[in-house]
Amino acid sequence: MQFTIKSIDDWQEIVDKIVPELKHNILLLKGNLGAGKTTFTQFLMKKLGSGDEVSSPTYSIVNEYSTPQGKVFHFDLYRLKNIDEVYDIGIEEYLDNAFLCIIEWPEVYEDDLYGLKFHEMSIINTGEEREISFD
């Protein structure tokens, strides 16, 4: 699926189209700094019925949100240097016990997802708009 958005309010339409397509419990979010990964997650959590405050997990590495469907874990792997650090945070346990795991900056962990089913969303900030692809 491909989308182009020009304002923050357009995220709602994107989320409305993506939620019915979520078939796997892992969602990789890719995009440069300021692309809108956390903003997307805020809209997504609201759509999933969470009343939790959604913020970037840049410093905490992982945030936990509650939804009627179950726990959602929101990761930011940007500061992790290697795969050992990813396993040190216990990512496998989170994946096993989540309704959904949203992983920002997944590149350090991506090779280890081999054999697992996941969705991938890419957000490109072109300056005036955002180009989004979702698989």
Side-chain angles (χ1 to χ4, degrees):
M1 300 171 74
Q2 303 289 323
F3 309 98
T4 300
I5 63 172
K6 296 181 183 198
S7 76
I8 194 167
D9 296 328
D10 294 340
W11 279 114
Q12 188 61 56
E13 182 180 341
I14 304 302
V15 167
D16 290 346
K17 291 179 179 175
I18 286 176
V19 165
E21 302 301 318
L22 288 174
K23 308 295 185 218
H24 314 300
N25 77 326
I26 301 171
L27 171 59
L28 307 181
L29 287 184
K30 295 182 174 183
N32 56 344
L33 287 170
K37 297 178 295 291
T38 298
T39 301
F40 164 78
T41 302
Q42 291 169 337
F43 278 87
L44 179 60
M45 290 300 90
K46 184 176 178 185
K47 176 75 175 178
L48 293 176
S50 177
D52 296 336
E53 182 177 336
V54 176
S55 61
S56 175
T58 299
Y59 296 104
S60 61
I61 308 295
V62 62
N63 290 342
E64 178 180 323
Y65 311 119
S66 295
T67 71
Q69 300 88 344
K71 296 286 183 193
V72 174
F73 298 105
H74 180 199
F75 297 88
D76 184 330
L77 305 183
Y78 182 77
R79 295 185 314 126
L80 302 186
K81 307 274 188 270
N82 57 56
I83 193 64
D84 292 333
E85 290 182 346
V86 176
Y87 285 109
D88 286 347
I89 65 169
I91 197 162
E92 291 174 308
E93 188 171 332
Y94 286 110
L95 294 177
D96 289 343
N97 294 294
F99 164 69
L100 181 63
C101 285
I102 301 165
I103 306 174
E104 295 186 25
W105 301 98
E107 290 80 5
V108 70
Y109 181 56
E110 211 164 3
D111 288 344
D112 283 43
L113 289 172
Y114 180 79
L116 297 177
K117 294 183 178 183
F118 58 88
H119 297 284
E120 184 174 312
M121 183 171 167
S122 174
I123 306 167
I124 298 171
N125 182 353
T126 64
E128 295 182 18
E129 58 190 24
R130 306 249 187 323
E131 296 174 1
I132 298 152
S133 64
F134 174 83
D135 295 310

